[in-house]
Amino acid sequence: MLPTENRLRRREDFATAVRRGRRAGRPCLVVHLHSDATDPHAPGESAPPTRAGFVVSKAVGGAVVRNQVKRRLRHLVRERLTKLPPGSLVVVRALPGAGDADHAQLARDLDAALQRLLGGGTR
C-alpha cells in the first residue's frame, strides 16, 4: 500500500502528469512522469513527496482482475519511489495485457519504463 502522502488523487494532478510529463510505453503498461512538479498544497519548505496514481480501465478485465492489477502496481511503485526525483508525479496506465501478466512481468515493464524516463534507457 502506498502511504497517503504518495498518492495521486486529484484529477488536475493526473492531467498534469499525462499532458506535461514524459511517457514510456511497454507491452503491459504506459508510465507518465512529470518530474519538475511543485506541490502548492505541501506545507512548509520541505521537498514535496513523489506521488503516484494508477489508471486501470475495463479493457484490462473484470473488477477482480482490475483490482488485482492495481494492487500489484501499487506495491511495485512503492518499492521504487526512492528512485524518482522529489516532487514527481507518476501515472501508471495498465494496458489490456496487464490482466494476464504476472507480477514479474509487470515489474520488468515498470522498471524498463522508469529507466527510460529517468534517462538510463534508449528509445
Side-chain angles (χ1 to χ4, degrees):
M1 184 62 90
L2 276 175
T4 303
E5 66 270 5
N6 295 116
R7 294 181 194 163
L8 198 59
R9 295 184 178 177
R10 294 184 326 194
R11 181 182 187 140
E12 302 86 33
D13 294 336
F14 275 88
T16 298
V18 171
R19 292 182 184 147
R20 295 185 187 165
R22 296 178 59 210
R23 178 182 70 215
R26 303 299 304 158
C28 293
L29 50 88
V30 176
V31 178
H32 300 268
L33 175 68
H34 182 62
S35 60
D36 61 350
T38 58
D39 185 8
H41 306 289
E45 300 279 329
S46 63
T50 299
R51 294 182 293 149
F54 305 92
V55 178
V56 184
S57 73
K58 288 184 179 180
V60 173
V64 173
V65 174
R66 290 194 312 267
N67 285 323
Q68 183 180 34
V69 169
K70 276 190 275 191
R71 283 192 308 268
R72 287 178 178 172
L73 290 174
R74 273 197 305 263
H75 177 76
L76 291 169
V77 168
R78 181 186 64 176
E79 294 174 345
R80 291 155 178 82
L81 281 176
T82 58
K83 297 179 184 178
L84 300 170
S88 298
L89 301 178
V90 179
V91 173
V92 180
R93 182 167 45 97
L95 298 176
D100 298 327
D102 62 351
H103 188 77
Q105 179 63 40
L106 289 174
R108 282 192 298 272
D109 282 358
L110 182 62
D111 286 337
L114 288 176
Q115 182 180 10
R116 182 170 162 205
L117 288 172
L118 296 173
T122 59
R123 200 176 233 281

